[in-house]
Amino acid sequence: MRDLTAVKGALKNHQIELPSWAFGNSGTRFKVFGQPGVPRNPYEKADDAAQVHKYTGVAPIMAVHIPWDKVDDYAALSAYAGGNGIRIGAVNSNVFQDDDYKLGSVCSPDPKARKKALAHLLECVDIMDATGSRDLKLWFADGTNYPGQDDISARQDRMAEALAAVYERLGDGQRMLLEYKLFEPAFYTTDVPDWGTALVHCQALGDKAQVVVDTGHHAPGVNIEFIVAMLLKAGKLGGFDFNSRFYADDDLMVGAADPFQLFRIMHEVVKAGALYPGQPTGITATGAGAQPSAGAGVAFMLDQCHNIEPKIPAQIRSVMNVQEAVAKALLVDAAALREAQLAGDVLGANAVLMDAYNTDVRPLLADLREEMGLEPDPVKAYASSGYAEKIVSERVGGTAAGWGA
Ligand code: RM4
Ligand code: MN
């Protein structure tokens, strides 16, 4: 078991990024159930995100989605967020909600659609300049529904061409994060379906291009921590989109479906020293001592839709679930684990890992919050703050934010 002061120190340094769209209305293809008090603009989304940070102390960043979060003055939005104690994080592009993208965006056979999509991606970099964001997050709905519909290989060339143009436009300290997804909305081929495809593109581009692992974007049963370990080794893990899934891309609260998987992922992150820039690492694979941090720039983003549950407390719950997984990963006795592994002690090694996972870290996290000047139970503290009632009574009129606004 590690030194608890060091564990708490690491937990204080680990930051989680909230998705602006989680605060707006969302639904399935069948129905969007609107909720009272939902933000009507990106400023109100920043107000809600700031609440999550206020009670957890570890979520000072809000990602935006363009055009859902379109405003006249992005520097003003950034300053407003700053006044609320948070900052604007990744700029998420949206090249999937326009009639012109019926056959795809940057991979479309139609040069006009490709041009329009590229212009949007470049506009997103302009927005990053104004908000001071480091990351451009790219997820493409591009793909085909039927064999023969389009040329698989030609579509990859179109993808590479667009990515190269965006890469060229990135300024110093800016990155592009390429997110893969197995299927949906395309059902036969997806143009960036897996980490291999994303990695090939990112490697061709250079250091500023990194892969995003959305935990809901794999086939059932895929070993995500293995992918994470490989991307970290390659220095190509740009970030996560955390959410839970039981079946497909369910976008449920983080850690709701499989908290053990979340722990296994965070164990790889902690081992690689990628929890935050400068995180001290444990023992290396060769037992030779500390290794350089493999992924100092990993963005720990949430990507969720709260369709039926209240949004702000659900985000708080997700942040707490990530923190629990991180705390357990930090409690792994790295030296004992290594020793058991090298001795071929299968049961012993597994027991070291399971001991950490089975530790109840809630008292530790409650202590940590008190040290940080916070209430020990963020869900309770938010519930008794009156904020939920306040936004219901104040946010009257206007149009509630949701997909497409
Ligand atoms: C996609 C992908 C993106 C997110 C959109 C809303 O499935 O996960 O990250 O921006 O959904
Ligand atoms: Mn995502």
Side-chain angles (χ1 to χ4, degrees), residues 15 47 56 123 147-148 192 375 380 385 400:
Q15 297 194 330
D47 289 338
T56 61
E123 183 203 342
V192 187
E375 292 290 323
K380 222 165 115 186
S385 73

Side-chain angles (χ1 to χ4, degrees), residues 7 27 34 57 124 129 144 188-189 200 248 269 273 277 294 319 363 367:
V7 169
C124 286
D129 290 341
T144 65
Y188 167 55
T189 60
V200 165
V269 170
V319 170
D367 273 2

Side-chain angles (χ1 to χ4, degrees), residues 98-134:
D98 196 294
D99 285 341
D100 289 330
Y101 300 140
K102 187 164 94 173
L103 299 177
S105 63
V106 294
C107 300
S108 168
D110 175 1
K112 284 203 298 296
R114 297 206 294 274
K115 201 170 156 203
K116 177 172 171 162
L118 179 58
H120 171 74
L121 302 182
L122 296 174
E123 183 203 342
C124 286
V125 186
D126 295 340
I127 293 170
M128 291 162 70
D129 290 341
T131 55
S133 297
R134 174 187 60 174

Side-chain angles (χ1 to χ4, degrees), residues 21 92 137 139 179 212 214 217 241 243 249 251 303:
W21 54 100
N92 287 252
K137 182 138 72 70
W139 173 72
E179 178 177 352
V212 171
D214 182 314
H217 286 188
D241 264 3
N243 50 70
D249 187 19
D251 287 332
D303 179 11

